[in-house]
PDB file of all heavy atoms in Angstrom:
ATOM      1  N   LYS A  80      15.366  -7.483  -3.850  1.00  0.00           N
ATOM      2  CA  LYS A  80      16.421  -6.561  -4.283  1.00  0.00           C
ATOM      3  C   LYS A  80      15.792  -5.194  -4.505  1.00  0.00           C
ATOM      4  O   LYS A  80      14.673  -5.077  -5.003  1.00  0.00           O
ATOM      5  CB  LYS A  80      17.063  -7.063  -5.578  1.00  0.00           C
ATOM      6  CG  LYS A  80      17.884  -8.318  -5.385  1.00  0.00           C
ATOM      7  CD  LYS A  80      18.788  -8.546  -6.593  1.00  0.00           C
ATOM      8  CE  LYS A  80      19.543  -9.856  -6.458  1.00  0.00           C
ATOM      9  NZ  LYS A  80      18.729 -11.006  -6.888  1.00  0.00           N
ATOM     10  N   CYS A  81      16.542  -4.166  -4.155  1.00  0.00           N
ATOM     11  CA  CYS A  81      16.082  -2.796  -4.340  1.00  0.00           C
ATOM     12  C   CYS A  81      15.918  -2.517  -5.829  1.00  0.00           C
ATOM     13  O   CYS A  81      16.824  -2.801  -6.617  1.00  0.00           O
ATOM     14  CB  CYS A  81      17.097  -1.844  -3.715  1.00  0.00           C
ATOM     15  SG  CYS A  81      16.719  -0.113  -3.997  1.00  0.00           S
ATOM     16  N   THR A  82      14.763  -1.943  -6.232  1.00  0.00           N
ATOM     17  CA  THR A  82      14.537  -1.673  -7.657  1.00  0.00           C
ATOM     18  C   THR A  82      15.315  -0.444  -8.131  1.00  0.00           C
ATOM     19  O   THR A  82      15.373  -0.171  -9.318  1.00  0.00           O
ATOM     20  CB  THR A  82      13.035  -1.474  -7.966  1.00  0.00           C
ATOM     21  OG1 THR A  82      12.529  -0.415  -7.152  1.00  0.00           O
ATOM     22  CG2 THR A  82      12.235  -2.743  -7.691  1.00  0.00           C
ATOM     23  N   VAL A  83      15.899   0.305  -7.188  1.00  0.00           N
ATOM     24  CA  VAL A  83      16.681   1.480  -7.573  1.00  0.00           C
ATOM     25  C   VAL A  83      18.156   1.126  -7.727  1.00  0.00           C
ATOM     26  O   VAL A  83      18.756   1.334  -8.773  1.00  0.00           O
ATOM     27  CB  VAL A  83      16.505   2.638  -6.552  1.00  0.00           C
ATOM     28  CG1 VAL A  83      17.387   3.823  -6.928  1.00  0.00           C
ATOM     29  CG2 VAL A  83      15.048   3.062  -6.469  1.00  0.00           C
ATOM     30  N   CYS A  84      18.758   0.557  -6.661  1.00  0.00           N
ATOM     31  CA  CYS A  84      20.207   0.305  -6.700  1.00  0.00           C
ATOM     32  C   CYS A  84      20.554  -1.169  -6.907  1.00  0.00           C
ATOM     33  O   CYS A  84      21.706  -1.497  -7.147  1.00  0.00           O
ATOM     34  CB  CYS A  84      20.871   0.846  -5.430  1.00  0.00           C
ATOM     35  SG  CYS A  84      20.355  -0.044  -3.952  1.00  0.00           S
ATOM     36  N   GLY A  85      19.563  -2.068  -6.817  1.00  0.00           N
ATOM     37  CA  GLY A  85      19.818  -3.480  -7.065  1.00  0.00           C
ATOM     38  C   GLY A  85      20.427  -4.258  -5.911  1.00  0.00           C
ATOM     39  O   GLY A  85      20.672  -5.458  -6.039  1.00  0.00           O
ATOM     40  N   ARG A  86      20.680  -3.575  -4.793  1.00  0.00           N
ATOM     41  CA  ARG A  86      21.238  -4.280  -3.641  1.00  0.00           C
ATOM     42  C   ARG A  86      20.134  -5.017  -2.899  1.00  0.00           C
ATOM     43  O   ARG A  86      18.957  -4.692  -3.019  1.00  0.00           O
ATOM     44  CB  ARG A  86      21.919  -3.286  -2.689  1.00  0.00           C
ATOM     45  CG  ARG A  86      23.302  -2.890  -3.161  1.00  0.00           C
ATOM     46  CD  ARG A  86      23.954  -1.971  -2.166  1.00  0.00           C
ATOM     47  NE  ARG A  86      23.189  -0.716  -2.075  1.00  0.00           N
ATOM     48  CZ  ARG A  86      23.592   0.345  -1.363  1.00  0.00           C
ATOM     49  NH1 ARG A  86      24.713   0.300  -0.699  1.00  0.00           N
ATOM     50  NH2 ARG A  86      22.860   1.439  -1.336  1.00  0.00           N
ATOM     51  N   GLU A  87      20.558  -6.020  -2.113  1.00  0.00           N
ATOM     52  CA  GLU A  87      19.579  -6.780  -1.334  1.00  0.00           C
ATOM     53  C   GLU A  87      18.970  -5.900  -0.250  1.00  0.00           C
ATOM     54  O   GLU A  87      19.669  -5.127   0.409  1.00  0.00           O
ATOM     55  CB  GLU A  87      20.287  -7.971  -0.664  1.00  0.00           C
ATOM     56  CG  GLU A  87      20.972  -8.881  -1.657  1.00  0.00           C
ATOM     57  CD  GLU A  87      20.326 -10.268  -1.719  1.00  0.00           C
ATOM     58  OE1 GLU A  87      19.804 -10.712  -0.689  1.00  0.00           O
ATOM     59  OE2 GLU A  87      20.350 -10.868  -2.799  1.00  0.00           O
ATOM     60  N   ILE A  88      17.660  -6.029  -0.079  1.00  0.00           N
ATOM     61  CA  ILE A  88      16.979  -5.294   0.983  1.00  0.00           C
ATOM     62  C   ILE A  88      17.173  -6.076   2.285  1.00  0.00           C
ATOM     63  O   ILE A  88      17.085  -7.307   2.287  1.00  0.00           O
ATOM     64  CB  ILE A  88      15.479  -5.136   0.649  1.00  0.00           C
ATOM     65  CG1 ILE A  88      15.316  -4.367  -0.674  1.00  0.00           C
ATOM     66  CG2 ILE A  88      14.734  -4.432   1.779  1.00  0.00           C
ATOM     67  CD1 ILE A  88      13.903  -4.384  -1.237  1.00  0.00           C
ATOM     68  N   PRO A 100       9.723  -2.107  -2.432  1.00  0.00           N
ATOM     69  CA  PRO A 100      10.642  -2.320  -3.547  1.00  0.00           C
ATOM     70  C   PRO A 100      11.991  -1.630  -3.351  1.00  0.00           C
ATOM     71  O   PRO A 100      12.850  -1.698  -4.213  1.00  0.00           O
ATOM     72  CB  PRO A 100       9.895  -1.689  -4.724  1.00  0.00           C
ATOM     73  CG  PRO A 100       8.979  -0.672  -4.124  1.00  0.00           C
ATOM     74  CD  PRO A 100       8.816  -0.971  -2.658  1.00  0.00           C
ATOM     75  N   TYR A 101      12.171  -0.938  -2.212  1.00  0.00           N
ATOM     76  CA  TYR A 101      13.391  -0.160  -2.008  1.00  0.00           C
ATOM     77  C   TYR A 101      14.150  -0.564  -0.749  1.00  0.00           C
ATOM     78  O   TYR A 101      13.543  -0.955   0.242  1.00  0.00           O
ATOM     79  CB  TYR A 101      13.066   1.335  -1.870  1.00  0.00           C
ATOM     80  CG  TYR A 101      12.156   1.864  -2.922  1.00  0.00           C
ATOM     81  CD1 TYR A 101      10.920   2.385  -2.590  1.00  0.00           C
ATOM     82  CD2 TYR A 101      12.537   1.844  -4.271  1.00  0.00           C
ATOM     83  CE1 TYR A 101      10.062   2.874  -3.558  1.00  0.00           C
ATOM     84  CE2 TYR A 101      11.684   2.326  -5.247  1.00  0.00           C
ATOM     85  CZ  TYR A 101      10.445   2.845  -4.884  1.00  0.00           C
ATOM     86  OH  TYR A 101       9.607   3.320  -5.838  1.00  0.00           O
ATOM     87  N   CYS A 102      15.479  -0.397  -0.803  1.00  0.00           N
ATOM     88  CA  CYS A 102      16.281  -0.549   0.394  1.00  0.00           C
ATOM     89  C   CYS A 102      16.048   0.702   1.260  1.00  0.00           C
ATOM     90  O   CYS A 102      15.504   1.704   0.774  1.00  0.00           O
ATOM     91  CB  CYS A 102      17.763  -0.687   0.045  1.00  0.00           C
ATOM     92  SG  CYS A 102      18.496   0.794  -0.666  1.00  0.00           S
ATOM     93  N   LEU A 103      16.460   0.633   2.502  1.00  0.00           N
ATOM     94  CA  LEU A 103      16.201   1.731   3.432  1.00  0.00           C
ATOM     95  C   LEU A 103      16.777   3.053   2.917  1.00  0.00           C
ATOM     96  O   LEU A 103      16.143   4.104   2.994  1.00  0.00           O
ATOM     97  CB  LEU A 103      16.783   1.384   4.810  1.00  0.00           C
ATOM     98  CG  LEU A 103      16.455   2.360   5.942  1.00  0.00           C
ATOM     99  CD1 LEU A 103      14.950   2.455   6.151  1.00  0.00           C
ATOM    100  CD2 LEU A 103      17.122   1.925   7.241  1.00  0.00           C
ATOM    101  N   GLU A 104      17.980   2.965   2.364  1.00  0.00           N
ATOM    102  CA  GLU A 104      18.664   4.169   1.886  1.00  0.00           C
ATOM    103  C   GLU A 104      17.867   4.872   0.778  1.00  0.00           C
ATOM    104  O   GLU A 104      17.642   6.078   0.825  1.00  0.00           O
ATOM    105  CB  GLU A 104      20.031   3.761   1.353  1.00  0.00           C
ATOM    106  CG  GLU A 104      21.065   4.861   1.385  1.00  0.00           C
ATOM    107  CD  GLU A 104      22.408   4.321   0.915  1.00  0.00           C
ATOM    108  OE1 GLU A 104      22.940   3.400   1.575  1.00  0.00           O
ATOM    109  OE2 GLU A 104      22.896   4.808  -0.113  1.00  0.00           O
ATOM    110  N   ASP A 105      17.398   4.079  -0.196  1.00  0.00           N
ATOM    111  CA  ASP A 105      16.639   4.678  -1.292  1.00  0.00           C
ATOM    112  C   ASP A 105      15.255   5.130  -0.834  1.00  0.00           C
ATOM    113  O   ASP A 105      14.730   6.117  -1.335  1.00  0.00           O
ATOM    114  CB  ASP A 105      16.526   3.697  -2.461  1.00  0.00           C
ATOM    115  CG  ASP A 105      17.827   3.648  -3.255  1.00  0.00           C
ATOM    116  OD1 ASP A 105      18.292   4.720  -3.662  1.00  0.00           O
ATOM    117  OD2 ASP A 105      18.374   2.554  -3.430  1.00  0.00           O
ATOM    118  N   GLN A 106      14.680   4.415   0.117  1.00  0.00           N
ATOM    119  CA  GLN A 106      13.393   4.826   0.661  1.00  0.00           C
ATOM    120  C   GLN A 106      13.519   6.204   1.306  1.00  0.00           C
ATOM    121  O   GLN A 106      12.675   7.075   1.118  1.00  0.00           O
ATOM    122  CB  GLN A 106      12.918   3.808   1.709  1.00  0.00           C
ATOM    123  CG  GLN A 106      11.571   4.164   2.333  1.00  0.00           C
ATOM    124  CD  GLN A 106      10.415   3.994   1.354  1.00  0.00           C
ATOM    125  OE1 GLN A 106      10.103   2.886   0.945  1.00  0.00           O
ATOM    126  NE2 GLN A 106       9.807   5.091   0.960  1.00  0.00           N
ATOM    127  N   LYS A 108      15.744   8.483   0.599  1.00  0.00           N
ATOM    128  CA  LYS A 108      15.937   9.481  -0.456  1.00  0.00           C
ATOM    129  C   LYS A 108      14.602   9.854  -1.079  1.00  0.00           C
ATOM    130  O   LYS A 108      14.309  11.027  -1.320  1.00  0.00           O
ATOM    131  CB  LYS A 108      16.867   8.920  -1.546  1.00  0.00           C
ATOM    132  CG  LYS A 108      18.331   9.034  -1.201  1.00  0.00           C
ATOM    133  CD  LYS A 108      19.168   8.548  -2.364  1.00  0.00           C
ATOM    134  CE  LYS A 108      20.474   7.953  -1.890  1.00  0.00           C
ATOM    135  NZ  LYS A 108      21.117   7.123  -2.919  1.00  0.00           N
TER     136      LYS A 108
HETATM  137 ZN1   ZN B   1      18.519   0.855  -2.980  1.00  0.00          ZN
END
Side-chain angles (χ1 to χ4, degrees):
K80 291 195 184 83
C81 175
T82 57
V83 177
C84 66
R86 280 183 296 186
E87 302 246 329
I88 300 169
Y101 312 118
C102 67
L103 187 60
E104 205 176 298
D105 283 307
Q106 180 71 67
K108 278 184 210 163

